[in-house]
């Protein structure tokens, strides 16, 4: 009976992640073009949206995780879906910069309610420590295949109709997905915190912080996450410009090129996770993370000093198709195995904060280097961050 419930929960969780990946990745592909061509935003306005969104997410990430640990993981996910669908839908209805800034901030805020809550929910409801790593790896593969599907399906919808129609349609579908969470995600093992809400939240926060500070393993993966997210964010932002400067053919719309590259990287990521499924946790995790960081180093160096657009594209696929998905999944499994049920969502929120800080601090520093010393030097800086991460993960466990 327990095994049957576990199978039902696993299928529901994997399917939900697949559909969510379809909608949010396809939506963002169309939105990224909509912001430029339909809303007419400048480069400075687009960068400002990203910066403000990141600041709000950084500030709200841990409070949202604490809320999930004290009130409800399931209903945190429902709130996330409703806010996300509303933000996505509203994006297609407005074109002014202030309103688009508001929709994107709301979209970023929506993710903080799901970040960590989803993993905490499935881990505790499944109640199968020997199985959870497999489920999380399977979920990551579903997210990658869903993302690839979303690029094609929602991109085609935007091409066949209009960009704003595709954006609104994806938002409506995301809102409806909240009903799936309500209907299929049971919450039988979670125990809400007792006592005054704010006191319980503060206690949960302190427990999570104490857990992280007292664990060399968690501190190691948080530092690695900080560095590698800075490297991947910078490489991702600078790669399109590098490819165009190296002579990416523009007879075909560049958005088609980048969609194709993204699709190939997502498929490669799913394959890499499938092949390495047995080496993502336990004793193998540290070694696998280090190998992925070495692959990222090679990819970033290749992107920096590629002689032409084809070799640069191949290097970019190494970074986004192997280094990024492997390190993200391993860090998620690593943290999940070293936390406790009462602060699980909070601890995952700390991990998300390390990601945001890496993007802001390291990413902005490398972007500054790009302005001062040029793209190759900046991308070499990203390669150095990958290499430093690999060195940290090769150090013996304390």
């Amino acid at each position: 009976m327990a095994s049957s419930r576990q199978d039902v929960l696993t299928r529901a969780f994997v399917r939900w992640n697949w559909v969510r990946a379809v909608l949010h990745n396809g939506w963002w592909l169309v939105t990224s073009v909509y912001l430029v061509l339909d809303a007419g935003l400048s480069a400075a306005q687009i960068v400002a949206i990203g910066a403000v969104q990141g600041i709000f997410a950084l500030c709200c990430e841990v409070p949202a995780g604490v809320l999930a640990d004290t009130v409800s993981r399931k209903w945190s996910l429902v709130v996330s879906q409703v806010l996300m669908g509303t933000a996505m839908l509203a994006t297609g209805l407005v074109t002014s910069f202030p309103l688009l800034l508001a929709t994107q901030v709301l979209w970023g805020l929506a993710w903080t309610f799901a970040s960590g809550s989803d993993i905490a929910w499935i881990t505790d409801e499944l109640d199968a420590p020997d199985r959870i790593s497999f489920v999380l790896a399977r979920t990551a593969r579903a997210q990658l295949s869903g993302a690839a599907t979303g690029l094609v399906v929602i991109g085609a919808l935007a091409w066949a109709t209009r960009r704003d129609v595709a954006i609104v349609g994806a938002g409506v579908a995301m809102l409806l997905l909240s009903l799936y969470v309500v209907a299929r995600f049971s919450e039988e093992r979670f125990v809400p915190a007792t006592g005054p809400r704010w006191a319980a939240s503060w206690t949960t926060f302190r427990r999570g912080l104490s857990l992280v500070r007292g664990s060399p393993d968690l501190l190691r993966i948080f530092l690695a996450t900080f560095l590698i997210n800075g490297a991947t964010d910078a490489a991702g932002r600078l790669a399109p410009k590098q490819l165009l400067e190296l002579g990416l053919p523009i007879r075909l719309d560049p958005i088609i090129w980048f969609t194709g590259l993204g699709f190939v990287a997502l498929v490669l990521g799913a394959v890499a996770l499938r092949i390495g499924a047995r080496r993502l946790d336990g004793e193998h995790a540290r070694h696998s993370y280090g190998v992925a960081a070495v692959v990222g180093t090679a990819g970033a160096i290749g992107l920096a000093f590629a002689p032409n657009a084809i070799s640069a594209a191949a290097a970019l696929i190494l970074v986004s198709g192997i280094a990024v998905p492997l390190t993200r999944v391993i860090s998620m499994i690593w943290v999940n195995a070293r936390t406790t049920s009462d602060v699980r969502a909070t601890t995952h929120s700390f991990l998300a904060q390390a990601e945001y800080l890496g993007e802001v601090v390291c990413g902005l520093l490398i972007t500054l280097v790009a302005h001062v010393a040029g793209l190759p030097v900046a991308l070499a800086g990203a390669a150095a961050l990958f290499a430093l991460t690999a060195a940290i993960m090769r150090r013996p466990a304390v």
Side-chain angles (χ1 to χ4, degrees):
M1 192 70 173
S3 178
S4 176
R5 180 175 184 271
Q6 290 173 351
D7 291 340
V8 170
L9 290 174
T10 298
R11 284 195 297 270
F13 187 69
V14 171
R15 288 170 181 169
W16 170 69
N17 272 280
W18 186 86
V19 174
R20 187 176 61 160
V22 169
L23 296 175
H24 115 254
N25 284 278
W27 171 85
W28 176 246
L29 169 69
V30 179
T31 296
S32 63
V33 178
Y34 176 84
L35 294 177
V36 176
L37 297 183
D38 298 275
L41 300 189
S42 66
Q45 288 173 322
I46 292 173
V47 171
I49 284 178
V52 174
Q53 184 186 73
I55 291 170
F56 268 84
L58 187 63
C59 293
C60 297
E61 181 66 48
V62 171
V66 171
L67 188 67
D69 278 334
T70 55
V71 180
S72 169
R73 278 80 177 267
K74 171 182 175 176
W75 289 103
S76 289
L77 296 178
V78 174
V79 169
S80 173
Q81 292 287 165
V82 171
L83 293 179
M84 194 178 301
T86 301
M88 291 167 64
L89 186 158
T91 298
L93 302 178
V94 299
T95 55
S96 71
F97 172 68
L99 292 177
L100 286 170
L101 177 62
T103 64
Q104 301 313 292
V105 167
L106 182 61
W107 184 59
L109 179 64
W111 278 106
T112 67
F113 282 93
S115 175
S117 303
D118 50 357
I119 302 168
W121 175 82
I122 188 62
T123 300
D124 289 344
E125 293 301 315
L126 206 60
D127 194 27
D130 59 333
R131 185 175 177 179
I132 187 60
S133 295
F134 167 78
V135 172
L136 293 179
R138 178 181 168 187
T139 300
R141 295 198 302 271
Q143 289 172 333
L144 290 172
S145 65
T149 304
L151 295 182
V152 175
V153 172
I154 298 182
L157 176 62
W159 175 81
T161 56
R162 298 200 316 262
R163 283 182 286 270
D164 57 349
V165 171
I167 289 170
V168 171
V172 171
M174 190 67 85
L175 275 173
L176 293 175
L177 193 58
S178 64
L179 300 178
Y180 181 87
V181 177
V182 173
R184 299 298 302 276
F185 283 28
S186 61
E187 194 166 41
E188 298 179 5
R189 300 186 183 278
F190 175 74
V191 180
T194 58
R197 188 61 47 80
W198 285 109
S201 298
W202 176 244
T203 300
T204 299
F205 170 78
R206 290 176 57 190
R207 285 176 180 168
L209 188 61
S210 177
L211 176 70
V212 172
R213 291 175 61 183
S215 171
D217 275 349
L218 287 177
L219 291 174
R220 181 200 294 257
I221 201 66
F222 279 28
L223 176 58
T225 298
F226 171 83
L227 293 171
I228 215 159
N229 256 58
T232 56
D233 182 70
R237 289 177 185 273
L238 298 176
K241 186 172 178 62
Q242 177 75 332
L243 287 171
L244 290 170
E245 290 192 356
L246 288 172
L248 186 73
I250 57 175
R251 291 188 300 274
L252 197 63
D253 190 330
I255 192 66
I256 298 178
W257 281 110
F258 293 124
T259 299
L261 287 173
F263 183 86
V264 171
L266 289 166
V267 171
L268 178 61
V271 172
L273 288 174
R274 182 80 178 186
I275 293 174
R278 297 184 181 276
R279 303 185 63 85
L280 300 179
D281 63 348
E283 297 178 358
H284 303 296
R286 185 167 59 85
H287 175 72
S288 297
Y289 197 107
V291 170
V294 169
V295 172
T297 304
I301 291 174
L303 187 59
F305 303 111
N308 53 57
I310 299 300
S311 55
L316 176 61
I317 288 173
L318 278 180
V319 175
S320 55
I322 296 179
V324 173
L326 283 177
T327 54
R328 284 183 176 171
V329 172
I330 292 170
S331 63
M332 176 178 63
I333 293 174
W334 184 303
V335 169
N336 203 54
R338 290 163 175 80
T339 188
T340 55
S341 177
D342 59 327
V343 294
R344 196 177 302 279
T346 301
T347 309
H348 279 287
S349 290
F350 285 139
L351 178 67
Q353 278 199 319
E355 294 176 356
Y356 290 130
L357 281 172
E359 291 174 4
V360 172
V361 177
C362 300
L364 288 180
L365 284 175
I366 291 176
T367 303
L368 179 62
V369 172
H371 286 295
V372 174
L375 278 176
V377 176
L379 288 167
L385 291 179
F386 276 115
L388 179 57
T389 305
I392 289 171
M393 298 308 288
R394 284 180 61 85
R395 290 181 58 193
V398 177

